[in-house]
Structures are given as structure tokens and as C-alpha cells.
């Protein structure tokens, strides 16, 4: 199992399971530390459950693990038979260890938040609010693997805006950006939560629809096309939509090939009058 898969697996676990696992790890490390004795340093290993909790559970609950680790270390000190010149020294050591644990937990939890925010920026098109090309490829490939296994139908639609450059030239790029934002919002609104909506170029969008055969794809994209045209007309924007829809009844297709075929269908529309939808079903013999 790859590190990425392990991370996804742990991220899917409940907070209760994660915090209990962290506590069990602290107890296990404390037992090992006691058996080894105070002559061999074991301090660094207490950071394992602390880092685990800070990364997967969060800052607040990781504090519980920090306190538990510091107390466990203090108990190991007392039961090891180690002597100190003053009775307060073990408590001072426990306090400094706790402070160190807290700093590490804080840094790791902050790093996790930064990584999550960066990942969200990479996965979302900042102008339109739909998914980025990177997120589209990752999620579509995952769905296609499952579709090929269970022979589920999938549909991929490519949408290109007609006369978008004319809108930018005549009304300015601010209006063009607003048009893209409106289109992105409409696509997100009209699609199912299981569908993937992405901006894959300047004025091109892709819609990946799992569990969607030819008939359902025609119903959806015809309604979508009409709705988008109405939205543009209401705002006074002379924009049309050339749409190519590739349907795969058994879901057995690579994403690269599906993108090429949907893109080709879309450009056929643009070469033959624009502003319409063209469908094609790709079976094994047609690929």
C-alpha cells in the first residue's frame, strides 16, 4: 500500500478512532520505555502519537495526547528508580516535555491546515468556483476505474463558449470574467453532487457524469444547453455553447481517450454551425 493510500485511509477514520489509537500508542510507548529503563533515551518516540493526533485529529484534541504523553513519561521516571537531587525536578522535566510536545503539535496542526488550504486552491478554479483540471483528472480517473470494473455507463461532455472573445472585446474582460462565473455557478447548480464539473481551459468546461447512459445524457445536456442560453440572454450576453457528449455504456475507457473523443465531438459542433449539442455512443467496436 502506498503512502498516499495510507493517508487517505487514516483521513477517512472517525475522530474517536484516531484519538483512541493515539492514546493506545502512548500507553504502548510508556510500557516499552519502562521496560527499557532510564539509561536509554526513548523521548523521541513519544512524538509519534502526538504527531499522529495533530495531523489527523486536530489541534484541540492533540493537546489531550500531549498531556497524556507528558504524564506517562513522568510515571515512567518515578517507577524507574531514578533519583534526583530535588523532588521538584521530575515535575519540572515533565512541564518542559509538555511544552515541547505542545509546540510540535501546534506546528504540525498548522501545517496540516496550510496543506489543506493549498490543496483546495489547486483543486478549485478560483474564478468560476468549479473544479480545476487537476481535480477533474484525479476524480474522473477514480470513477472510471470503478465504472470499468462494474460496467457502469459514464458520459463526458465538453462545453466551449461561442463568441466569447467577441464579448471580451466589446464589453471588456471584467464582463467576460463575470460571464464565466455565472456559467460556473449554473453548472454547479444544475449538476448532481456525484457529477464532476471542471474548467479545463479559458472558456472550456467539462462535465463528467457517472451512471449516465445515452438517453439520460441527452435529457440532461439538452436542458442544460437551453438553460445556459436563457441565462445568457437574460443578461444581454451574446454567447452560445458548442457541446460534445461522449457516452460509454460499459465505462471501459481511459480518461485520455474519452477527453479526446469528447473534444472532437465539440469541435465538430463548432465547425458545423456552433451552438448545439452532438452525442455519440462509443462501444468497444467504435473506439
Amino acid at each position: 500500500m502506498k503512502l498516499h493510500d495510507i493517508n487517505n485511509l487514516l483521513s477517512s477514520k472517525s475522530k474517536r478512532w484516531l484519538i483512541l489509537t493515539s492514546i493506545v500508542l502512548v500507553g504502548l510507548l510508556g510500557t516499552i520505555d519502562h521496560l527499557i529503563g532510564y539509561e536509554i533515551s526513548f523521548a523521541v518516540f513519544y512524538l509519534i502519537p502526538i504527531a499522529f493526533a495533530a495531523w489527523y485529529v486536530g489541534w484541540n484534541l492533540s493537546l489531550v495526547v500531549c498531556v497524556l504523553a507528558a504524564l506517562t513519561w513522568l510515571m515512567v521516571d518515578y517507577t524507574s528508580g531514578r533519583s534526583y537531587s530535588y523532588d521538584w525536578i521530575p515535575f519540572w522535566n515533565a512541564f518542559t516535555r509538555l511544552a515541547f510536545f505542545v509546540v510540535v503539535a501546534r506546528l504540525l496542526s498548522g501545517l496540516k491546515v496550510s496543506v489543506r488550504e493549498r490543496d483546495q486552491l489547486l483543486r478549485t478554479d478560483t474564478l468560476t468556483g468549479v473544479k480545476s483540471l487537476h481535480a477533474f483528472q484525479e476524480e474522473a480517473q477514480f470513477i472510471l476505474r470503478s465504472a470499468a470494473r462494474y460496467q457502469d455507463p459514464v458520459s463526458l461532455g465538453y462545453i466551449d463558449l461561442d463568441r466569447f472573445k467577441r464579448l471580451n472585446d466589446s464589453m471588456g474582460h471584467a464582463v467576460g470574467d463575470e460571464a464565466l462565473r455565472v456559467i460556473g455557478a449554473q453548472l454547479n447548480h444544475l449538476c448532481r453532487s456525484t457529477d464532476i464539473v471542471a474548467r479545463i481551459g479559458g472558456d472550456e468546461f467539462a462535465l463528467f457524469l457517472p451512471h449516465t447512459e445515452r438517453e439520460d445524457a441527452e435529457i440532461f445536456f439538452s436542458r442544460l444547453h437551453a438553460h445556459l442560453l436563457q441565462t445568457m440572454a437574460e443578461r444581454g450576453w451574446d454567447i452560445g455553447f458548442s457541446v460534445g457528449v461522449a457516452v460509454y455504456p460499459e465505462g471501459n475507457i481511459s480518461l485520455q481517450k474519452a477527453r479526446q473523443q469528447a473534444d472532437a465531438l465539440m469541435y465538430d459542433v463548432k465547425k458545423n454551425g456552433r451552438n448545439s449539442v452532438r452525442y455519440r455512443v462509443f462501444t468497444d467496436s467504435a473506439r
Side-chain angles (χ1 to χ4, degrees):
M1 183 178 288
K2 297 180 180 179
L3 184 61
H4 177 74
D5 296 328
I6 295 174
N7 180 64
N8 289 339
L9 176 63
L10 292 175
S11 299
S12 66
K13 297 293 184 180
S14 66
K15 284 191 175 182
R16 177 179 295 181
W17 186 92
L18 293 168
I19 198 67
L20 286 175
T21 301
S22 301
I23 293 172
V24 170
L25 285 174
V26 171
L28 179 62
L29 291 170
T31 301
I32 297 173
D33 194 10
H34 175 73
L35 293 175
I36 290 176
Y38 64 83
E39 291 183 334
I40 299 177
S41 177
F42 199 73
V44 67
F45 295 102
Y46 284 94
L47 291 175
I48 295 175
I50 292 170
F52 181 85
W55 191 263
Y56 291 106
V57 182
W59 161 242
N60 292 332
L61 290 177
S62 68
L63 289 176
V64 176
V65 182
C66 291
V67 172
L68 183 60
L71 290 176
T72 300
W73 202 346
L74 177 62
M75 291 176 60
V76 170
D77 262 358
Y78 262 107
T79 57
S80 66
R82 189 174 185 177
S83 60
Y84 294 93
S85 55
Y86 295 98
D87 292 339
W88 54 266
I89 291 180
F91 296 97
W92 172 256
N93 290 343
F95 173 76
T96 57
R97 292 162 185 163
L98 175 61
F100 175 65
F101 291 160
V102 169
V103 169
V104 171
R106 184 59 178 173
L107 289 174
L108 282 175
S109 60
L111 178 62
K112 178 62 180 293
V113 171
S114 298
V115 169
R116 187 186 298 117
E117 291 176 348
R118 186 202 64 179
D119 185 62
Q120 184 64 27
L121 287 174
L122 289 174
R123 299 181 64 83
T124 304
D125 179 67
T126 55
L127 177 62
T128 63
V130 302
K131 295 184 185 299
S132 65
L133 176 59
H134 170 76
F136 167 78
Q137 293 183 142
E138 183 180 278
E139 295 182 21
Q141 285 173 342
F142 177 80
I143 293 175
L144 278 175
R145 285 195 293 268
S146 176
R149 179 182 303 173
Y150 298 106
Q151 295 187 328
D152 285 337
V154 297
S155 296
L156 175 61
Y158 262 36
I159 303 175
D160 184 81
L161 276 59
D162 300 325
R163 299 181 296 277
F164 181 71
K165 184 178 184 302
R166 184 190 302 174
L167 178 73
N168 274 330
D169 293 340
S170 61
M171 304 185 71
H173 288 279
V175 175
D177 288 347
E178 178 63 19
L180 291 173
R181 279 192 289 267
V182 170
I183 293 167
Q186 292 299 313
L187 293 176
N188 271 332
H189 175 70
L190 294 171
C191 288
R192 303 167 298 185
S193 60
T194 54
D195 299 334
I196 304 174
V197 183
R199 183 185 179 198
I200 57 174
D203 61 345
E204 292 186 7
F205 294 84
L207 275 64
F208 187 86
L209 281 58
H211 313 293
T212 305
E213 298 188 19
R214 167 69 182 258
E215 182 179 354
D216 294 329
E218 286 192 14
I219 293 172
F220 172 78
F221 278 101
S222 62
R223 290 177 178 174
L224 175 68
H225 188 254
H227 181 85
L228 290 176
L229 288 176
Q230 180 181 352
T231 302
M232 297 300 100
E234 290 173 352
R235 287 165 171 76
W237 298 332
D238 183 26
I239 293 178
F241 300 89
S242 295
V243 186
V245 182
V247 182
Y248 304 94
E250 298 88 19
N252 187 21
I253 186 71
S254 70
L255 179 60
Q256 180 181 2
K257 188 66 174 179
R259 290 186 61 191
Q260 291 173 352
Q261 291 171 338
D263 188 59
L265 289 170
M266 179 190 71
Y267 275 101
D268 280 346
V269 175
K270 294 189 77 68
K271 289 187 296 183
N272 292 278
R274 299 185 178 187
N275 197 28
S276 63
V277 186
R278 182 176 180 184
Y279 307 88
R280 183 178 175 186
V281 176
F282 291 90
T283 59
D284 289 336
S285 59
R287 289 175 199 153

